Amino acid sequence: MAARKFSMVSPALWGSKRFATLPTPEAKLLYCYFLTNEHMTSAGAYRIKQGYALADLGWSAGLYDGALNSLIDADLVAYDTEHETVYLKRWFQHNPPMNEKHAQGTRRMILELDSQTMAELAMIDFEEADSRRNPSLEQAPKVSNGLRERLTAGVGRGGF
């Protein structure tokens, strides 16, 4: 997957209750890192090896794991430990597909994720955002049909 050249981060982040109530500065930094690191894609979900994050941040594994758990507990991210894949929840509320070509590329990136769980979470959010961009998609069959029932609000750790 090609790295993004830039990523928009809304100033509203600093007013977000979920973000503002994170328990440590490290948790806030990790969230900003997840939003802006070179592995980020337009799908809001991507593989990030722990070793890469530790090297980029200069952290120990324990510090990283603690900050990651804080983000999961705050419902800011979902994470698949087996595939080392993160999904930034509500990504498409802030970064919806802008046109058909963008939507096609984003859909392809989601389908190429190794983590089925993260792909399913991303696809559900993506299809909702894409249907707002193109209302004619409301009636189209969705890849995520039937997934919502299988996924619970508690998805965040592990493969499920």
Side-chain angles (χ1 to χ4, degrees):
M1 286 182 224
R4 292 169 61 102
K5 293 186 188 322
F6 72 94
S7 191
M8 294 188 298
V9 178
S10 172
L13 171 68
W14 298 99
S16 160
K17 184 175 181 178
R18 285 183 182 90
F19 184 79
T21 58
L22 287 170
T24 64
E26 290 81 9
K28 290 179 181 180
L29 178 59
L30 184 58
Y31 188 68
C32 290
Y33 173 77
F34 283 156
L35 283 170
T36 61
N37 75 71
E38 66 181 294
H39 304 282
M40 171 53 85
T41 69
S42 63
Y46 56 95
R47 184 167 190 220
I48 179 70
K49 291 184 177 184
Q50 185 185 50
Y52 292 165
L54 297 181
D56 287 345
L57 296 165
W59 287 2
S60 68
L63 183 60
Y64 177 83
D65 290 342
L68 177 58
N69 285 331
S70 292
L71 297 180
I72 293 167
D73 292 343
D75 198 35
L76 287 168
V77 303
Y79 189 78
D80 180 329
T81 54
E82 179 184 350
H83 295 99
E84 294 183 290
T85 302
V86 65
Y87 173 57
L88 283 77
K89 292 187 168 186
R90 291 168 291 286
W91 170 257
F92 293 106
Q93 288 179 14
H94 306 285
N95 299 281
M98 301 307 291
N99 56 51
E100 187 56 33
K101 186 175 177 182
H102 183 200
Q104 289 174 359
T106 300
R107 182 178 285 108
R108 179 185 48 78
M109 286 181 191
I110 293 169
L111 294 173
E112 289 175 354
L113 289 169
D114 289 334
S115 169
Q116 182 177 352
T117 304
M118 297 303 105
E120 290 172 350
L121 288 170
M123 187 60 75
I124 288 168
D125 291 348
F126 167 77
E127 287 180 339
E128 287 177 8
D130 201 34
S131 68
R132 287 190 296 274
R133 176 188 65 83
N134 186 351
S136 66
L137 296 174
E138 281 293 326
Q139 303 304 319
K142 299 193 176 11
V143 174
S144 63
N145 282 349
L147 299 177
R148 192 173 307 280
E149 294 76 35
R150 292 191 317 123
L151 298 173
T152 65
V155 169
R157 290 184 177 80
F160 227 108

